[in-house]
Structure formats: C-alpha cells, structure tokens
Amino acid sequence: MTTTTPSVTSVPLLERFRVPGGFVLGAVLLLGVAPLALSDFRLSLLAKYLCYAIVAVGVSLAWGRGGLMVLGQGVFFGLGGYAMAMHLKLADAAATGETLPDFMQLYGTGDALPWWWKPFANPAFALAMTVLLPMAVAAVLGFFVFQRRVKGAYFAILSQALAAALSIWLIGQQATTGGTNGLTDIQGFFGYDLNDPVNQRMVYFIIAAVLLVLMAIARQLFVSRYGELLIAVRDSEERVRFLGYNPANVKLVAYVVAAGMAGLAGALFVPAVGIISPALIGIVPSIGFVIGAAVGGRASLVGAVLGAIAVAWAQSTLSDAFPAAWTYLQGLLFVVAVGFLPGGLASLGVVLRKRRTRTTPIPTGETA
Amino acid sequence: MSGEGLTVRDLRVTFDGFKAVDGVDLDIRPGDLRFLIGPNGAGKTTLVDAVTGLVKATGSVTFGGEELLGKPVHKIARLGIGRTFQTATVFEELTVLQNLDIAAGSGRGPLTLLRRRKGVPESVTKALETTGLTDLRDRPAGVLAHGQKQWLEIGMLLVQDVKLLLLDEPVAGMSHDEREATGALLQRVSEDHTVVVIEHDMDFMRSFARSVSVLHAGKMLSEGTVAEVQADAKVQEVYLGRASEPEPAAVPVPEEA
C-alpha cells in the first residue's frame, strides 16, 4: 500500500521511495508489530490469512494483469498442501516408530505404504514438490488450454471443474488420502513440535517472510517488460499475435507462476492450521481465493493482498456469527466488486477523482 | 533496405461456399505504395487476412521467397509483415511508449523480458519522431485522438521492423488535416518499406497512391497507375459509378462486414 498520502504524489522524492518505503512498512508491520501486538491465537489466525494472501499474489498476476480468470486455484493450493501434509504425516509416524500414518492404520487395506507416498518421506523432495507439482500441472494444462485459445468464461469453468474433480477424487481415496477428513492432526514441522506456541510463531514468521518475498518477485514481474506485455495480451491478444508474439506462452508463464505461489501457500497452510482437506480446496474455496483479490483490487498487488487478508478475516469473524449468511455475502461481494468496481478498493481513489474532474481530451498533435 | 515484394498466386478464400477471394493474382514490388480498392465485399480485407494468416486460404502467397499460407499468425509477423485493422487496436492502458516498446520486442529473450525497461530503444525514438507522437509518449494510448491511434499503430509496425505494411482503411473517420498528415506519413514510410493500403477514399487514393489494384467480387479487376485504373472502363462501371468525374467522397461508405 502507499506509505505516502495520495495528495503528495507530485513530489518526486516521495514517489521514488513509495515502493521500497511501502515494502519496508509492510515488513515492519508483519514481522515486528503484528507478533508483538497479537496473542498467539490471533497470530495463528493471521498466519492462515497470509496464506490466502500468498494465493492472492498469484491471482493478481494471472487475473489482474493477465486477464486469466483463475477460479480453480484450489487445485494448486491443494497439491502444495497435500505434498507438505504427506511429508509431515510420514514424519509424525516415523517419530512414534510407525511406518504408516494414523489414518492408514484405521482405513488402510494393507500395511504397505502406497508407492506414490514413499518419495514424500524425503523432506527435500516433498518441499520441492509443493511448488513444482502445481507448476507442472499448470504447465501441462495451460499449454493445451492456451494453445487452443480457450479463454474467458470457458477458462473459468474449466478451472472450476478441475477443482471439483480433484476434491471429489480425494474424497474417494479414503485409504490413501484420508478422504473427506483430509490429512489432519499434524503434530510436527521438520522436527519442531507444532503444539508449542513458540514454533507456531516461527511458522508465522516463515509465512510472512515468504509473502514478502513473493510480493517482491511479483512486483518485479509487474514492472518488467513482461508485465507490460502481459497487460497487452489481456487487453488485445490478437494484436499481440500480429506483433510476432505467441500470446499462449505469455499467458502460460503467468498461469504457472500463479500456480506455484498457490502451491507454496497450500504447503504453508498445513503447519499453520494443522490440516488439509478436500473441503479446503474445492469449488467454494477456489472462488474464495479470488474474492479477496477482486475486492481489494486484482490489478494492484497490495490491493489484492490486503483484500485477501480482509476477506479472510471477515469470513472467520462473520461466518461464526452468521454461518448461513456468509456464503451469500461472499457472492454479493464478488458480484459487486467485479461488476461495479473492477479495479477493487485500490481503484476507489482514481474512480472518485475521475468523477470530480472529467478527463480532458488531449489536443491533436501534428504529424511532422 | 526497401522492403520485400509480395507475390500472390491464385489465392482463394471460401466461407461456407461463398467465394470471398476467388483466384487472385497480385504482385507487389519492393518499395511500392499500393492502394487496394474495390466496393464493399470485394474481398480486400479478406485478402489481407489470408496473407497474414488470420483466415485459411488456398493458392500461394510468397514473401521474400517464403510461402506464407499455413503458417501461424505470429510466425508470419516475424517474417516482417505487419498489419493494422479497420478499428485502431492499440493497448489502451499502456502508454504510447510502452505500446511501441512491446511492438519492438518480439525477438526479446526471457532475461530481457523479466527486466524493467531502461531507456528508450533507438527504433522507438525514431518511430515517435516519424509519427509525431514524441510529446505524447507517456500518455496512455486510450486517451489519444482517433488519428493519433492510427499513427501509433503505424509506428508500432515500424518498430516491429516489418518490411511490408498492410493497412486496412487507415484514414477512415479522420479529419481532412489528419488525412493529409497520414498520407505524408505513408509516403515517408514507403521510402524504405513496402506499403499496401486498403482504402475507400478516392481523393486520398489519387493523392498518394503509387499504384492501384481494383478488386471486385473476389477477383482482380484492374491494376496499374491511378490514371490507368481511372481510365479503365470496367473499373468505372463497377466502382466509380460510370461518371466521368466520380465524386466518391460524397458517398459515405460503411465499413465492410
């Protein structure tokens, strides 16, 4: 967010330090003020919201800048989350001398670990998979989808269908994925006991640091030539093609990066919350991932992140008080944001300023 | 460099049995400023669509010795063929400078793309000067006047380093002064590029064309200099309305469907 007040944007010095200043302010708030001011319980809630914010960073890139309506980020969040949870479950089991995670002993058919679980016992492999697996799936999917020029609502529906398919598949595999329950009751995190509040705080710091780093990466993508090209593809794909680019590749990069970020968010969600389950990655949560970005301002990185945190906070506050009403409110927020304020709250200042002073047409210049 | 020549042989485009382009031969010499005229539905835009890979066609289109038919749009563009559309399509949210910078960059590697733009590429500076948009370079393209958008599009083709420019009604909807300025711009551009212009405006054609091709009902009707084409009885019949002194500017011509 802007650290300076909007009215002083004409001062070049402040303008130059706006972005690094904002970054430092964000770091101070997340890494300094929040841990001091918040109780253990509140801080662990914030850690969960920050995971959603990490997803929103990718959404801001793919949807805000690239125009890809990524309504299925739950798939990538889930892949990252399950990759992490599988490793942590295996580590938990190993710590108590078992070979199988607890739920497999209850529901499993035999006493052998499924082959595709085995490599996840290796922490380096599991960590790499939390990011690489979502990116690989996104790369294959995106390649075919963008090459065939599937876009707009069709792309959104396809994304949703995929999120539904993954969660349904997981529910069906009770013996190997924990089914509806998901992977629960996670005790340790690379040797640290998650029941210890100190270690919970450590997890919070990791998540906050990851968020800041990913925001810095996304910011670089936004201001790079690639970022300009991505906007061009969003606004006029055909024109870009006639300039000699293949827009499919441009979109693919944004889609894959966003998927990697969602995967990392899912992976960090697991130690922060202690569970990953189909209900956290299906259609409804997938829509939830983009609502925050839509409300805050999907094309604005800070807007998307703050929006995601605010909506997640509102959800956990309001859904306790009015469990039935929240879903409707969520839908309403989405419709209002997309329909009436496409730039989200981040654009409110600009919209209001435009109201006051209608844009003046510029005089026709001479060609000479 | 004076551009490359375009050779079209027996080009045919069919939409659901309707022959939009029906066996057209066309030779455009390097450095030409060719006007492609014809009544609505004559197949002018479809011809350009076929050359640039937007619609499927049979026959042969060669440019600098390479066959274009069957190649995807972006590959044809990379061979040095650029086009504009009837409605100016610039990237409205990006500045004039960013528009031109993107047009200049289809050959950029990933590392360049991931970095921020430092300075202005020379070709962009030159195109800003040629099109007279230097003072507007930091304005979003969306706020430009209609004529300026068309000039920006032409500028984008210039930095794209195309050898052949295909312009679809570049002066439609322009004021008289803008037309004159555009004509002068096209003449400057054609000094080192090959330019093909689809146009309805006869006055504009007479003032600036170096050579003219007349299409009618998907077939090539006549070719030659402005004087030769105007003297052609077939052309007068189908297009110029049989009058010895045509007044086409008085007839507003709607955009082709």
Side-chain angles (χ1 to χ4, degrees):
Chain A
M1 196 85 236
T2 49
T3 54
T4 55
T5 51
S7 57
V8 293
T9 45
S10 55
V11 182
L13 192 69
L14 283 172
E15 186 62 17
R16 199 178 316 154
F17 289 105
R18 199 173 60 94
V19 169
F23 193 77
V24 169
L25 182 77
V28 168
L29 281 176
L30 281 177
L31 300 174
V33 176
L36 287 176
L38 297 178
S39 66
D40 287 342
F41 172 69
R42 298 261 166 219
L43 196 66
S44 73
L45 277 182
L46 183 58
K48 179 171 138 185
Y49 305 158
L50 293 188
C51 291
Y52 295 140
I54 292 174
V55 182
V57 173
V59 170
S60 178
L61 176 72
W63 186 28
R65 295 291 164 129
L68 304 167
M69 193 137 185
V70 283
L71 276 181
Q73 292 304 84
V75 170
F76 309 121
F77 185 85
L79 289 172
Y82 271 89
M84 175 66 92
M86 281 161 73
H87 172 71
L88 297 184
K89 286 307 281 182
L90 289 174
D92 281 354
T96 56
E98 304 278 350
T99 52
L100 288 181
D102 47 10
F103 74 93
M104 282 192 197
Q105 297 168 26
L106 277 175
Y107 307 111
T109 47
D111 51 2
L113 198 62
W115 62 266
W116 51 275
W117 268 74
K118 282 179 186 151
F120 285 90
N122 180 329
F125 175 84
L127 269 183
M129 278 302 117
T130 61
V131 181
L132 295 183
L133 197 60
M135 288 176 92
V137 170
V140 172
L141 187 74
F143 177 80
F144 288 108
V145 165
F146 300 138
Q147 214 69 32
R148 301 200 65 85
R149 305 191 190 174
V150 176
K151 46 190 145 181
Y154 299 100
F155 177 76
I157 290 167
L158 189 77
S159 305
Q160 283 264 285
L162 206 68
L166 180 65
S167 70
I168 289 167
W169 180 82
L170 286 167
I171 289 170
Q173 306 295 313
Q174 173 95 345
T176 51
T177 68
T180 318
N181 300 332
L183 301 176
T184 60
D185 200 22
I186 285 156
Q187 302 293 324
F189 181 61
F190 298 96
Y192 294 96
D193 182 3
L194 285 173
N195 297 314
D196 186 340
V198 175
N199 292 336
Q200 272 296 338
R201 288 199 161 236
M202 175 192 73
V203 169
Y204 167 82
F205 277 106
I206 293 172
I207 292 172
V210 166
L211 173 64
L212 289 168
V213 169
L214 292 185
M215 283 180 79
I217 292 174
R219 157 94 196 157
Q220 176 60 31
L221 286 175
F222 277 24
V223 298
S224 70
R225 279 179 151 136
Y226 171 77
E228 295 174 352
L229 184 58
L230 191 60
I231 291 181
V233 169
R234 177 192 71 190
D235 292 345
S236 183
E237 188 174 333
E238 209 55 28
R239 190 75 188 82
V240 173
R241 193 170 281 125
F242 279 106
L243 291 175
Y245 296 92
N246 186 355
N249 295 341
V250 179
K251 293 202 268 189
L252 190 62
V253 171
Y255 187 54
V256 169
V257 170
M261 290 182 176
L264 199 51
L268 293 168
F269 182 88
V270 171
V273 183
I275 179 175
I276 187 80
S277 75
L280 292 165
I281 68 168
I283 286 190
V284 174
S286 287
I287 295 175
F289 285 136
V290 301
I291 290 181
V295 171
R298 60 186 189 254
S300 145
L301 191 55
V302 178
V305 165
L306 290 181
I309 295 173
V311 170
W313 171 80
Q315 171 157 24
S316 55
T317 311
L318 295 177
S319 67
D320 286 345
F322 317 98
W326 170 251
T327 322
Y328 295 102
L329 188 63
Q330 203 180 25
L332 191 70
L333 264 180
F334 191 48
V335 171
V336 169
V338 173
F340 298 98
L341 198 60
L345 292 175
S347 71
L348 205 55
V350 180
V351 172
L352 291 179
R353 230 175 301 147
K354 260 191 194 159
R355 278 274 158 85
R356 246 177 286 140
T357 55
R358 293 272 170 209
T359 46
T360 45
I362 53 169
T364 306
E366 300 241 319
T367 48
Chain B
M1 60 160 197
S2 59
E4 300 254 11
L6 184 76
T7 309
V8 176
R9 287 286 170 272
D10 194 31
L11 188 74
R12 288 170 198 275
V13 180
T14 309
F15 297 123
D16 290 330
F18 170 70
K19 290 172 183 158
V21 176
D22 191 9
V24 165
D25 291 345
L26 182 64
D27 285 288
I28 294 169
R29 290 190 324 278
D32 203 351
L33 176 50
R34 172 75 57 102
F35 273 61
L36 204 55
I37 63 171
N40 283 330
K44 306 182 295 291
T45 299
T46 310
L47 175 68
V48 168
D49 285 349
V51 169
T52 52
L54 202 56
V55 298
K56 280 203 176 109
T58 60
S60 160
V61 178
T62 53
F63 178 70
E66 287 232 40
E67 177 63 51
L68 302 184
L69 294 187
K71 281 195 165 61
V73 166
H74 66 276
K75 296 242 166 93
I76 293 176
R78 282 185 201 167
L79 288 174
I81 298 181
R83 73 172 291 182
T84 63
F85 294 86
Q86 284 173 15
T87 47
T89 40
V90 293
F91 309 121
E92 309 239 322
E93 285 197 17
L94 300 175
T95 65
V96 169
L97 178 59
Q98 287 172 327
N99 269 274
L100 290 169
D101 186 64
I102 285 176
S106 71
R108 286 187 186 127
L111 280 179
T112 316
L113 277 176
L114 291 179
R115 257 173 290 160
R116 198 194 282 244
R117 176 166 32 77
K118 296 251 161 58
V120 181
E122 201 190 318
S123 63
V124 171
T125 312
K126 224 176 115 196
L128 283 168
E129 281 166 17
T130 311
T131 54
L133 294 171
T134 307
D135 293 342
L136 301 169
R137 62 174 228 185
D138 293 322
R139 292 295 195 98
V143 305
L144 295 183
H146 173 72
Q148 292 168 333
K149 283 187 189 169
Q150 286 286 3
W151 298 333
L152 174 56
E153 278 218 273
I154 293 171
M156 287 164 77
L157 298 185
L158 295 180
V159 296
Q160 197 186 334
D161 200 22
V162 298
K163 303 182 185 86
L164 170 66
L165 290 85
L166 304 165
L167 309 175
D168 199 349
E169 297 191 36
V171 299
M174 279 191 184
S175 70
H176 182 265
D177 289 347
E178 284 177 325
R179 276 164 202 243
E180 291 300 311
T182 306
L185 172 62
L186 291 183
Q187 285 189 326
R188 278 201 303 281
V189 168
S190 72
E191 282 164 17
D192 44 14
H193 297 81
T194 312
V195 181
V196 176
V197 182
I198 295 179
E199 199 44 76
H200 277 299
D201 187 318
M202 290 301 116
D203 285 334
F204 184 68
M205 186 269 283
R206 273 195 289 268
S207 308
F208 297 105
R210 226 163 272 160
S211 62
V212 182
S213 297
V214 186
L215 272 176
H216 176 57
K219 288 184 162 52
M220 193 58 74
L221 192 69
S222 177
E223 272 185 303
T225 64
V226 176
E228 284 165 7
V229 166
Q230 279 189 310
D232 190 323
K234 284 184 297 184
V235 175
Q236 288 179 4
E237 192 172 325
V238 305
Y239 192 54
L240 301 177
R242 279 173 220 106
S244 55
E245 187 55 43
E247 355 170 33
V251 186
V253 186
E255 287 196 340
E256 251 173 88

